[in-house]
Amino acid sequence: MSDPALETRRAFGVLFAGVSAAVFAGATLSELAFQNNAPFYYYAVIWLGSFGATFGVAWPRFRKAMPAIRERMKNSVRWSAGAKALNGICWAGPFASIAAFPSLYQYLILLGIGLGNLSTYLMMKKYSRLDNREQLIVAAISLAALPAALAIDTSLFADHQDVAVMLSRMLIALAYGAGGTFALLARE
């Protein structure tokens, strides 16, 4: 008999590993498109294709993981209205801020992923008594990557913003990859 909590953790491991692979592929292909002066619409094709191909290849495994992912997400229905609002702000606030501060988008994406995963981890721990450490790992790496992304952007690759943006995306892939690996290798 299998442990439902471990199955759910592994399901999120599949999800996070897929996100990591898709972001890595999208970042790499976007940089190649930029270097070759590709038309703007190529970026949409690249990103949609990266996620589509990644989850298409992993579909059999992901399909099996979906019920466990849905079940964990249902836990948030029981949260208080204030907790839901705070969690929503942590996720959506930084992403919505991109419209006002487009030049900061790579930092705002890292901030949104970091704060969103951190708030979800804390709310799940408080209201559902779940210890989703894979989410905490993604949050910690994303938030810790903010100073690294700033240093990369302002000093190392100040003259090559395309490389700086690609590296910030690689940091996102690293965060999700680390969380996914932890979840897939977890024994409890």
Side-chain angles (χ1 to χ4, degrees):
M1 184 157 36
S2 60
D3 177 12
L6 185 58
E7 281 183 36
T8 301
R9 174 164 279 150
R10 293 225 170 104
F12 269 82
V14 169
L15 175 64
F16 286 2
V19 169
S20 175
V23 170
F24 182 84
T28 304
L29 293 172
S30 290
E31 178 60 19
L32 289 172
F34 178 81
Q35 292 297 324
N36 291 298
N37 298 316
F40 189 73
Y41 72 89
Y42 274 36
Y43 296 100
V45 172
I46 286 169
W47 284 98
L48 291 172
S50 294
F51 275 89
T54 299
F55 285 101
V57 167
W59 179 248
R61 196 148 184 215
F62 187 66
R63 191 182 79 225
K64 290 178 187 172
M66 285 174 62
I69 292 168
R70 258 188 255 124
E71 193 59 38
R72 185 191 282 181
M73 289 182 170
K74 284 182 185 176
N75 285 306
S76 63
V77 172
R78 296 184 215 122
W79 298 353
S80 69
K84 289 177 190 175
L86 178 61
N87 187 253
I89 289 168
C90 288
W91 276 106
F95 290 102
S97 298
I98 293 171
F101 306 102
S103 64
L104 301 176
Y105 83 95
Q106 68 255 40
Y107 311 117
L108 292 170
I109 290 171
L110 280 166
L111 184 64
I113 291 168
L115 289 179
N117 277 289
L118 179 61
S119 69
T120 301
Y121 169 79
L122 293 172
M123 300 297 175
M124 287 288 212
K125 192 157 178 84
K126 178 178 180 176
Y127 291 104
S128 305
R129 303 202 191 290
L130 295 173
D131 185 15
N132 304 328
R133 284 176 261 159
E134 59 277 4
Q135 241 174 338
L136 183 60
I137 290 168
V138 173
I141 293 173
S142 296
L143 292 172
L146 278 165
L150 184 63
I152 289 167
D153 193 23
T154 58
S155 60
L156 298 173
F157 293 102
D159 293 334
H160 298 285
Q161 285 300 298
D162 59 305
V163 176
V165 169
M166 182 187 73
L167 290 175
S168 71
R169 291 174 179 161
M170 294 296 183
L171 291 170
I172 293 167
L174 173 73
Y176 275 106
T181 300
F182 171 83
L184 289 170
L185 298 176
R187 295 180 187 244
E188 58 177 66

